[in-house]
Amino acid sequence: MSVFGKKLGRRLERKEKLTRREMLKVFLPTAALTIIGFIIAFQFVDPAPPRTISIACGASDGANCIFAEDYREFMAKEGITLNIKTSAGALENLELLQRENDGVDVAFVQGGLGTLVHDKKIMSLGSLFFEPLWIFHRNGLLIDRTTDMKGMTLAVGEEGSGTRILTMHLLKLNGINAENSSIVSVGYQRAADMLAAGEVDVAFFVSTHHAPYVIQLIDSRSVNLIGMPRAEGYTFVYPHLYLLKVPEGVIDFEANIPARNLSLVASTTELVATTDLHPALVNLLMQASAEVHKSGTEFERQEEFPSPLYLGFKLSEDAEQYFDNGPPFLQRYLPFWVANFISRMKVMLLPLIVIFFPLFKIIPPLYAWRTRRKIYRWYSELDAVDPDLNREEAAESLQEFLVKLDEIEEKVCNVTVPPSYSEGLYALRLHIGMLREKLRHGVENDSPP
């Protein structure tokens, strides 16, 4: 390669480096501002939901624990571990919700217990199903009304259970208490076994008819299922109770169970959570409840539950939005964790909109201005040595103007701009050449003959 070729190569390489450096001067501050914007915005990003939560379901032999298993299976598909914690019943479930340590995040709670809790940090995610009050008595007893149970041995549910709370309220209305009757507080399955064995006269259960102990007693030939003739009256006294009409044979048409039309009182079971439960998990639990309870039972119409009605606690805002609009848009089409990540990161769009987008529009003109400025700034110096603009000085300093112009040209030769701006640089050098000719012509005219 010739000497000229080598010089040209070095010149082009140097020009390319200077061009990259110029671009970095423009883009680096922009990138820094964008990164700072993202860092600031990240402070407002919601934390990711925990991967493990716990639910209190009540007695291990209760229907709620069966539902809890369905919830756990649903949540596991979305990568969430749901730990199930058994308890004595609804009252203990509420206590577990209020514990700061070793508590639970969610619980099944019988309707009507909201007045027992003054902690505003508990919210409802909706009612799930009706739970009738089942009353069974052993054969041989004549019981038409609740008052007929006075003096008998009554299994009213375990201490802390919703069954016991409701049953004792109803017994009190009928003048029955521990002084005139034998009150036995045991768990559901134990009560069913004692009734079948004749150890108690009457047993009360607040549960769905799918519960194993209810099925056991319905199938038993040693006990009878009875209704409450004054059920409608109880619903007037206790507004959280609902009147359920159980038609003859609806539970088992072949066995004709019940053998006649019955009137029962029922409460609802609510899904209750702490107010600090992550909103994404609230939505996921709402989806789980819709999946588990949508088919209903003989006592609920299909898709009647979950419902924002029949509540004893204030409905969560996230649950209310779910009832109004369904699952969040992204969760309808994407896996839970992907949808949640995108939803959390949407706040990061703020730097893009507020900072990056305007900068993106400003950068090209800014870069063009900085590049052209490297050319146009020399015209102010050319004006200083232009004899047409400086007639008084030019008459005496033409030679000095030429020296100054040479210095300017030497500096301009070291100016580098991207190829797309070379036209302006060559125009500048052309103007320098034209000005030099003008100065030389003036020097020649002033020289003595």
Side-chain angles (χ1 to χ4, degrees), residues 127-354:
S127 55
L128 305 176
F129 49 85
F130 288 122
E131 282 196 305
L133 175 61
W134 302 97
I135 306 176
F136 294 91
H137 69 80
R138 62 183 178 83
N139 290 340
L141 297 178
L142 182 60
I143 300 177
D144 290 326
R145 296 183 177 180
T146 308
T147 51
D148 297 333
M149 301 177 188
K150 187 178 294 185
M152 296 182 181
T153 302
L154 312 174
V156 298
E158 193 173 3
E159 289 284 350
S161 67
T163 295
R164 191 181 194 283
I165 293 172
L166 174 58
T167 301
M168 292 306 295
H169 280 310
L170 299 182
L171 292 177
K172 182 180 180 181
L173 287 178
N174 290 275
I176 300 175
N177 52 49
E179 296 179 359
N180 56 38
S181 303
S182 177
I183 306 298
V184 178
S185 298
V186 292
Y188 297 129
Q189 189 58 57
R190 176 60 178 154
D193 294 339
M194 291 178 71
L195 181 62
E199 298 176 21
V200 297
D201 299 312
V202 184
F204 298 81
F205 306 89
V206 175
S207 175
T208 70
H209 73 279
H210 295 293
Y213 45 84
V214 174
I215 295 174
Q216 172 190 338
L217 294 177
I218 288 175
D219 293 339
S220 173
R221 296 183 180 276
S222 62
V223 300
N224 289 323
L225 171 65
I226 61 174
M228 304 182 74
R230 297 182 292 178
E232 190 170 0
Y234 292 126
T235 63
F236 274 83
V237 177
Y238 297 108
H240 65 275
L241 295 179
Y242 303 89
L243 174 64
L244 281 183
K245 298 288 188 177
V246 184
E248 179 181 347
V250 71
I251 296 177
D252 190 329
F253 281 98
E254 182 179 358
N256 196 35
I257 299 173
R260 62 185 185 280
N261 293 336
L262 297 179
S263 293
L264 303 179
V265 294
S267 62
T268 57
T269 290
E270 294 180 55
L271 186 63
V272 180
T274 56
T275 54
D276 58 358
L277 183 65
H278 197 286
L281 293 181
V282 170
N283 276 296
L284 195 59
L285 285 166
M286 296 298 296
Q287 294 175 56
S289 66
E291 178 68 25
V292 173
H293 305 290
K294 66 180 179 181
S295 59
T297 67
E298 286 79 358
F299 305 117
E300 302 104 24
R301 294 187 300 274
Q302 188 170 2
E303 297 187 355
E304 180 180 2
F305 288 95
S307 170
L309 306 176
Y310 324 120
L311 304 181
F313 298 86
K314 183 179 179 181
L315 184 64
S316 156
E317 292 183 3
D318 295 298
E320 185 175 3
Q321 290 181 7
Y322 179 90
F323 283 121
D324 291 340
N325 306 312
F329 177 79
L330 293 176
Q331 288 190 25
R332 299 176 194 176
Y333 306 102
L334 298 173
F336 171 74
W337 286 103
V338 175
N340 177 255
F341 178 80
I342 295 175
S343 179
R344 289 169 50 235
M345 291 298 117
K346 63 185 179 184
V347 70
M348 301 297 286
L349 292 175
L350 186 63
L352 288 175
I353 297 172
V354 176

Side-chain angles (χ1 to χ4, degrees), residues 15-23 367 416-418:
K15 185 174 183 178
E16 185 177 348
K17 288 181 179 180
L18 290 173
T19 301
R20 285 200 301 266
R21 187 182 304 168
E22 184 65 25
M23 292 179 66
Y367 178 73
T416 58
V417 293

